[in-house]
Amino acid sequence: MAAQFGRRLRRGATTTAVAALAVAALSASQAPAIVPGGGENGKQASGSSAPDESPDSASGDSSYHTDLPPLNTPDKPGTSIDLPDLEGAAEAGIPATVLSAYKQAEQRLGVTNPGCNLPWQLLAAIGKVESGQARGGRVDDNGTTFTPILGPVLNGVGFANISDTDNGAYDGDKTHDRAVGPMQFIPSTWATWGQDANGDGRKDPNNIFDAALAAGRYLCANDRDLSLKSNLDQAILSYNRSREYLATVLSWLEYYKRGSHEVPDGTGVLPEGPGPLNPGGPSNSPSPGPTTSPSPDESPTTNPPKPPKPPATKPPTTPPTKPPTTPPTTPPTPAPVVERLEDAGTGKLSATAGTEFAGRVTVRGEDGKGKAVGKVAVRFTIVGDTDATFAGGSKNATGVSGATGVAKAPALRAGEKTGDFTVRADVVGRTVPPVDFTATVTERQADAVARTSDKEMTAAPGGEFADSIQLKATNNGVIAPGVAVKATMIKSADDASAADKGPYFKDAAGKPLRALTDLKTDAQGLLVLPKIFADDATGTFLLRVETAGGAKVTIELKVTAPEA
């Protein structure tokens, strides 16, 4: 028979029988062994013993849901407790956007911190215990909870005493802190570990993508390898310093490792135990007896009289009516599954160096019949030799498609490297062919350039020009910083090729140089040319300065012999 084991626990009130059942379940499922009330080395430990490495925790020892995964009870004595077949099991369902966030965090940490070996199922286990998977997946298209998820006030009454650290910015409390968001970070911890995983320019603890990546980085701290049991235990205990918490998270970790499936957002199973979703929660304590006091006219007796027994009743002689038959219900239509991504009107991607691209990469998720699929997490990645980034400075970003199946990448900003690169869009958690978009960065331009002085440039043969030439470049009347400039001593106004005599610049070895190309205006759009020298030729010579964008100015250089 298969009776569900779902007893609810309260912090500090875990019974020996429940703890023993949890141990049996974990032992049967090959999870790391947990000894009730004991540490890793078997020494006695209290229900809130802390890991050795830190006195703090991510969630401030706040409340958490203590529901355990459903287990099968043995059919006969001696039969081991085993986890059920999870195919279609309600508790194994994880809301689509929440599941995408966990898998994205695993993938990103697999690149940035491969030695941590973080499984996404650990994030799912903590997310289940902390917030019931963001209240059963009640998140918007970007992964942000519709309303903030707040833990109890950490004022020392039943929980830790943590004075306000964020001026109420995240938790709305300017006196004490409260754990915030689907992964229940206290504000001071979020200030250190918060992430912008969805590329919207914000580190939001109420966003499941941001919170999941932050939790992953927190668990991987101190060079932990989570494939080692000791490191795994330390990581979980650093999140919440409670042995009951450790046992509960480990049980969900093993449960999700056995199998899970995606369910639509908002349809996840809500926990019944205490936690930020349900602070009161059902209690294991017996309910109090009647509170009605005896009336003044009644004198209490030592043995109150027993109430009379109700008269015996005969069973009805009318034969039972046949229960009405319920017509078969139509099976629910399966949710559409994304099979491909298509360009949804991205357009040309081009920008001048240092500016923002006018267009944004836009894709549409479709099923096998070409119909739009919403709630699809799409990862956008910048590929190639470029310093371009998404808003916030990241090379990666995640967007979630809306009801029309459309997902947009964050704004794209060009760096200083010119040329082409690729923006790739693919689906998180599914093998779907990616879509590549070519983006082009062009050099900065100026449509006007001029000298900042009109002083005549003169020198004697074999001498040098006493004054320097300063230029200012603008574009549409605005200063043009970082614009490429070339300066050439030309043969004549009609022949712009480099002259072979007359004034010249010098190269690093001191040799004459009559054309310079590696020049750029500064942040104020200004450029000072190197010192200019004269050879023995006399006369009026021309220096032409030209900017990227086609702006030109021609400057006269006069070489005259001194008067006798």
Side-chain angles (χ1 to χ4, degrees):
M1 73 192 222
Q4 180 176 350
F5 174 59
R7 195 170 183 183
R8 319 302 176 198
L9 313 181
R10 280 188 180 275
R11 180 191 300 267
T14 309
T15 64
T16 304
V18 172
L21 284 171
V23 171
L26 291 167
S27 301
S29 60
Q30 309 303 315
I34 303 297
V35 179
E40 286 95 352
N41 54 9
K43 293 182 180 179
Q44 185 69 19
S46 67
S48 59
S49 59
D52 296 335
E53 65 209 47
S54 171
D56 302 319
S57 64
S59 59
D61 288 344
S62 186
S63 63
Y64 55 87
H65 296 296
T66 53
D67 302 38
L68 291 173
L71 306 176
N72 283 343
T73 56
D75 290 329
K76 56 184 179 179
T79 305
S80 64
I81 297 177
D82 198 5
L83 289 169
D85 179 9
L86 301 185
E87 185 66 32
E91 286 285 1
I94 301 177
T97 300
V98 178
L99 181 60
S100 295
Y102 296 151
K103 290 184 176 181
Q104 176 187 298
E106 178 195 58
Q107 291 171 349
R108 292 179 70 166
L109 285 165
V111 174
T112 61
N113 192 355
C116 177
N117 295 304
L118 172 80
W120 67 261
Q121 291 91 343
L122 176 57
L123 297 176
I126 291 177
K128 178 70 173 179
V129 173
E130 293 289 352
S131 70
Q133 311 299 18
R135 290 194 177 113
R138 291 181 55 79
V139 296
D140 63 18
D141 289 347
N142 293 318
T144 303
T145 57
F146 291 122
T147 56
I149 301 176
L150 298 176
V153 178
L154 298 176
N155 57 6
V157 181
F159 303 104
N161 188 354
I162 302 178
S163 297
D164 175 62
T165 59
D166 66 332
N167 197 30
Y170 292 120
D171 55 16
D173 190 330
K174 295 185 179 181
T175 304
H176 292 90
D177 271 344
R178 302 175 69 176
V180 182
M183 302 304 280
Q184 288 289 279
F185 276 94
I186 57 174
S188 58
T189 308
W190 182 259
T192 302
W193 295 94
Q195 301 292 316
D196 175 19
N198 64 350
D200 63 357
R202 298 180 58 217
K203 296 179 180 179
D204 185 359
N206 291 299
N207 181 277
I208 186 58
F209 289 99
D210 294 358
L213 182 58
R217 293 189 185 281
Y218 183 89
L219 294 166
C220 289
N222 300 321
D223 297 323
R224 293 190 188 104
D225 178 358
L226 300 183
S227 65
L228 303 177
K229 179 189 177 299
S230 59
N231 285 356
L232 177 64
D233 287 358
Q234 285 178 352
I236 298 171
L237 285 170
S238 75
Y239 213 93
N240 195 314
R241 297 178 297 134
S242 161
R243 291 288 165 177
E244 284 78 18
Y245 181 83
L246 173 63
T248 306
V249 169
L250 286 174
S251 65
W252 280 108
L253 169 61
E254 186 64 23
Y255 183 75
Y256 286 133
K257 280 186 174 181
R258 289 292 186 96
S260 65
H261 58 274
E262 179 183 299
V263 298
D265 288 345
T267 64
V269 176
L270 293 177
E272 297 178 16
L277 218 72
N278 184 16
S283 172
N284 291 325
S285 304
S287 59
T291 58
T292 306
S293 302
S295 64
D297 296 335
E298 295 174 346
S299 59
T301 60
T302 305
N303 296 312
K306 295 182 180 180
K309 293 183 179 181
T313 57
K314 294 182 179 181
T317 57
T318 306
T321 58
K322 187 177 181 181
T325 58
T326 304
T329 57
T330 305
T333 304
V337 177
V338 64
E339 298 290 344
R340 62 175 176 266
L341 289 178
E342 297 288 345
D343 181 3
T346 299
K348 185 178 181 181
L349 294 174
S350 179
T352 302
T355 66
E356 191 172 285
F357 283 76
R360 292 169 62 180
V361 174
T362 307
V363 295
R364 181 174 185 262
E366 298 179 352
D367 63 11
K369 297 181 179 179
K371 293 183 178 180
V373 181
K375 301 291 186 181
V376 175
V378 180
R379 177 177 45 242
F380 301 97
T381 308
I382 296 174
V383 181
D385 183 16
T386 180
D387 53 356
T389 62
F390 291 115
S394 174
K395 294 281 188 180
N396 301 279
T398 301
V400 180
S401 65
T404 61
V406 173
K408 280 189 176 183
L412 187 63
R413 187 171 183 84
E416 294 303 321
K417 284 188 176 181
T418 59
D420 295 341
F421 64 92
T422 298
V423 179
R424 178 165 297 156
D426 63 339
V427 176
V428 177
R430 284 188 63 83
T431 305
V432 174
V435 181
D436 287 348
F437 300 87
T438 300
T440 303
V441 179
T442 59
E443 60 184 348
R444 296 172 184 257
Q445 298 183 352
D447 57 14
V449 62
R451 283 188 67 190
T452 59
S453 169
D454 57 1
K455 188 174 182 180
E456 189 177 59
M457 296 291 295
T458 61
E464 63 183 51
F465 290 81
D467 298 311
S468 297
I469 296 177
Q470 185 182 61
L471 303 156
K472 183 176 183 179
T474 58
N475 195 52
N476 294 322
V478 180
I479 60 172
V483 175
V485 177
K486 60 181 180 180
T488 308
M489 306 293 180
I490 61 175
K491 291 181 178 179
S492 68
D494 299 325
D495 186 353
S497 59
D500 51 9
K501 64 178 182 178
Y504 60 90
F505 304 105
K506 285 184 179 181
D507 63 13
K511 295 182 179 180
L513 191 65
R514 292 186 169 88
L516 298 176
T517 56
D518 296 329
L519 303 173
K520 279 191 176 182
T521 59
D522 64 13
Q524 303 303 316
L526 299 175
L527 172 66
V528 177
L529 294 180
K531 187 174 285 295
I532 301 174
F533 302 88
D535 60 10
D536 294 337
T538 59
T540 298
F541 302 90
L542 300 178
L543 167 64
R544 178 163 293 173
V545 178
E546 185 173 1
T547 70
K552 299 177 184 178
V553 62
T554 302
I555 304 167
E556 288 187 349
L557 304 174
K558 294 182 178 180
V559 180
T560 58
E563 295 181 0

